[in-house]
Amino acid sequence: MSSGSRSRTGCYTCRIRKKKCDEQHPCCENCQIRKLQCYGYDAPPPDWMQGKRSWKEIMVTEEARQLRTIAEVQYKTRRRSGQNRLEEEAGGASNCQQSDELTIRGKRPPTPESIWWDGGFCTSLPIHKPPHEDTRLLMLFLDFIFPIQFGFYPMSTAMDHSWLMSGLCSNKARYHAALSVSACFDASLREPEKINSIGLSLEVTERQAIAACGLQTIIAHFNQQRHAPGDGVRMGMQILEVMHQLLSLEIFSMLEGAWELHHQATMTLLNTLHTYNTPESCDEEEVALHSSPLKMALKDFSSPDTQRTLEFHVTCVIWVDIIANATFGSPSHIPRRFDYIPYLHANGLKTHGIMGCHSSVMANIAEITCLVDWKTSQLRTQSLDTKELSGRAIPMAARLVDQVQELEQQSVLNMTTREAESRLVTLQFACAAQVYLHVVVFGADTADPELVLRVSRSLQMLEALPNGLVIRVNWAFTILGCMAGKTLYDRFRGLITRIAAQKQPLGMTWKGLIVMEECWRLRQSQPELEVGCDWKRATKSLGTRILLV
């Protein structure tokens, strides 16, 4: 056999990978070195190969695809490890020590209530557990976690898959943060008797600690010296990737309130990157134009993967910011230097490609929150002018009416499935935004005829949504439920019951139901709160900071 050629008598694994096999028996050395499962040479072949009429049929099976993916991930992991080996050898002892300090050996972390992970997912997981734990968890993230988190993000091509995997493998801290989410997911599925537990395990905590240590290193380097604005944004993007991944773990593991630390850090970082300039690196024209390095980077298409990564993480962080502020109010201690609302109106940040709702509707929700902030400041100084409040609300209400009408009249005949589903999600958010604005201007009187009409109409649309989309409209679901009259309570409860009965993932919708149940309880037990009881009062009464994403 000539050097570099592939033999038809090689092991099944090497033939599937289209690689040369050394034909050692009983297992080839190539597979052993790469920690791949060697399927051998002769009969009997693996069960999943049997019954196939040709080698071509074998090559297109899911098992063959998984085997090639494992090998690819292993290769990139080895390359990443080789690049960082000296660093790891020098810092391995200290990293281990820091990890020990951040975790308590032998004790499981607290496990708050959670039913994000449904037991039905167990049947979808890979049958053959890869021998390398990192590879297994990385595959879990690529094939299951990411699609669940970001159901509307395009990941249908090999290029999409490569973009995500390359981003993970090029940033060690982000890599371990992502795998901590996979480990959390995995722990929940492997403990069916604790299906309502969070899934935090020692491995999750340790990977989280490694990610936190790596994040500290990147931040320290970022703070060591002032960089040129472009370099500063690129380094800031590495920080943002890790912060967003850690934020993702907190959100997915249902840690009420714990997500806020990471979220506030991401918003502070965006403010920093927005104003990041050094006098010696900016010419007078740039300074005069008050250019923002962050805005310039978002418009820079010279490096498609880098630009895509930045836009993805910035959009995700802004999505969380809009929902958090609309639920709890804007935090007064974090000034918003990076005004993302114009970017949303211009569709420069495409939230519909992340969570389904079009950016223009998300911009309107953010503007309503700004109106809430203004109203709060006026009430604080006892200078609220109700006419001015109504005047500020009128153009917002008009935009929402136009958006709802446009969405309702859109034809779905030429839409893809994702576009049709995004339309439904956007319509649900737009209708909930109308309720949000009404409460801001007129109060939370559930007997108000206009509010009754809007909630009833929106509930009908909620009930008509495919089960898989209810998880994508949790904020809208909760806002509407909190403003529902008594006759509608059971219908809101029925939505969750129906989804649970069909073994569909509930996401955070069940916690949205907890918020509205508390709102209903407060109205019944304290009649004087009837016109002032909304989702904010309910979350405050519960003593929780539930993020309604």
Side-chain angles (χ1 to χ4, degrees), residues 497-508:
T497 303
R498 182 190 76 191
I499 298 171
Q502 296 181 6
K503 301 292 185 183
Q504 294 286 329
L506 293 173
M508 292 289 280

Side-chain angles (χ1 to χ4, degrees), residues 268-283:
T268 300
L269 177 63
L270 290 186
N271 286 337
T272 300
L273 297 179
H274 174 62
T275 57
Y276 192 96
N277 277 312
T278 54
E280 64 272 17
S281 63
C282 296
D283 57 34

Side-chain angles (χ1 to χ4, degrees), residues 18-239:
K18 296 183 178 180
K19 298 296 181 182
K20 177 184 176 182
C21 180
D22 57 36
E23 301 190 32
Q24 296 292 323
H25 286 70
C27 297
C28 87
E29 188 176 351
N30 288 339
C31 289
Q32 293 182 62
I33 292 174
R34 289 163 178 79
K35 298 183 179 179
L36 296 172
Q37 182 171 353
C38 184
Y39 287 113
Y41 303 86
D42 303 311
D47 292 341
W48 57 270
M49 285 189 186
Q50 297 180 18
K52 303 295 186 294
R53 292 175 295 180
S54 67
W55 189 253
K56 185 177 180 180
E57 284 189 15
I58 292 174
M59 291 295 284
V60 297
T61 60
E62 178 63 19
E63 289 84 356
R65 186 194 70 81
Q66 286 183 9
L67 178 58
R68 291 191 293 270
T69 300
I70 291 171
E72 181 185 1
V73 173
Q74 289 278 33
Y75 171 71
K76 293 198 173 187
T77 301
R78 286 196 305 275
R79 285 191 62 187
R80 179 182 58 79
S81 299
Q83 292 169 355
N84 294 318
R85 183 163 296 148
L86 291 177
E87 175 187 340
E88 290 177 357
E89 288 176 355
S94 61
N95 284 343
C96 182
Q97 182 179 358
Q98 290 179 38
S99 178
D100 287 346
E101 292 171 355
L102 290 170
T103 61
I104 302 175
R105 297 281 180 179
K107 293 184 179 180
R108 287 185 66 88
T111 55
E113 230 180 3
S114 165
I115 52 174
W116 177 273
W117 311 124
D118 187 273
F121 280 120
C122 288
T123 58
S124 303
L125 293 176
I127 299 173
H128 301 288
K129 183 175 179 179
H132 193 288
E133 183 65 6
D134 274 25
T135 304
R136 189 179 71 84
L137 292 176
L138 188 52
M139 281 188 63
L140 195 59
F141 184 86
L142 294 170
D143 292 342
F144 293 91
I145 307 298
F146 193 90
I148 291 173
Q149 286 181 299
F150 310 107
F152 285 88
Y153 197 75
M155 289 296 294
S156 58
T157 67
M159 187 177 296
D160 295 327
H161 193 273
S162 177
W163 163 77
L164 179 57
M165 187 162 66
S166 296
L168 291 169
C169 291
S170 63
N171 187 332
K172 180 181 178 181
R174 180 190 174 191
Y175 172 85
H176 283 286
L179 264 56
S180 70
V181 181
S182 294
C184 177
F185 177 94
D186 190 53
S188 294
L189 292 180
R190 306 306 171 190
E191 300 173 2
E193 73 280 2
K194 296 181 179 179
I195 196 64
N196 292 336
S197 296
I198 194 171
L200 283 179
S201 63
L202 185 59
E203 181 174 8
V204 173
T205 310
E206 287 178 336
R207 289 189 182 275
Q208 188 180 26
I210 294 172
C213 290
L215 178 60
Q216 291 174 354
T217 301
I218 302 173
I219 293 175
H221 183 48
F222 180 78
N223 290 331
Q224 278 177 357
Q225 58 182 349
R226 297 292 287 178
H227 307 271
D231 294 335
V233 171
R234 279 189 288 273
M235 190 173 296
M237 187 176 74
Q238 292 182 329
I239 298 172

Side-chain angles (χ1 to χ4, degrees), residues 202-306:
L202 185 59
E203 181 174 8
V204 173
T205 310
E206 287 178 336
R207 289 189 182 275
Q208 188 180 26
I210 294 172
C213 290
L215 178 60
Q216 291 174 354
T217 301
I218 302 173
I219 293 175
H221 183 48
F222 180 78
N223 290 331
Q224 278 177 357
Q225 58 182 349
R226 297 292 287 178
H227 307 271
D231 294 335
V233 171
R234 279 189 288 273
M235 190 173 296
M237 187 176 74
Q238 292 182 329
I239 298 172
L240 182 64
E241 289 178 44
V242 185
M243 284 181 172
H244 175 237
Q245 208 68 70
L246 290 171
L247 171 64
S248 175
L249 174 62
E250 304 294 350
I251 294 172
F252 260 52
S253 57
M254 305 291 186
L255 290 176
E256 296 167 358
W259 56 269
E260 289 185 281
L261 174 65
H262 296 300
H263 176 59
Q264 290 170 8
T266 59
M267 295 310 297
T268 300
L269 177 63
L270 290 186
N271 286 337
T272 300
L273 297 179
H274 174 62
T275 57
Y276 192 96
N277 277 312
T278 54
E280 64 272 17
S281 63
C282 296
D283 57 34
E284 293 181 0
E285 182 179 355
E286 286 182 327
V287 174
L289 291 173
H290 302 287
S291 59
S292 159
L294 181 57
K295 290 183 177 180
M296 291 173 66
L298 286 169
K299 295 178 180 179
D300 181 10
F301 296 94
S302 59
S303 177
D305 280 358
T306 301

Side-chain angles (χ1 to χ4, degrees), residues 326-338:
T327 305
F328 309 110
S330 301
S332 58
H333 59 283
I334 302 180
R336 183 184 295 168
R337 296 189 179 92
F338 174 51

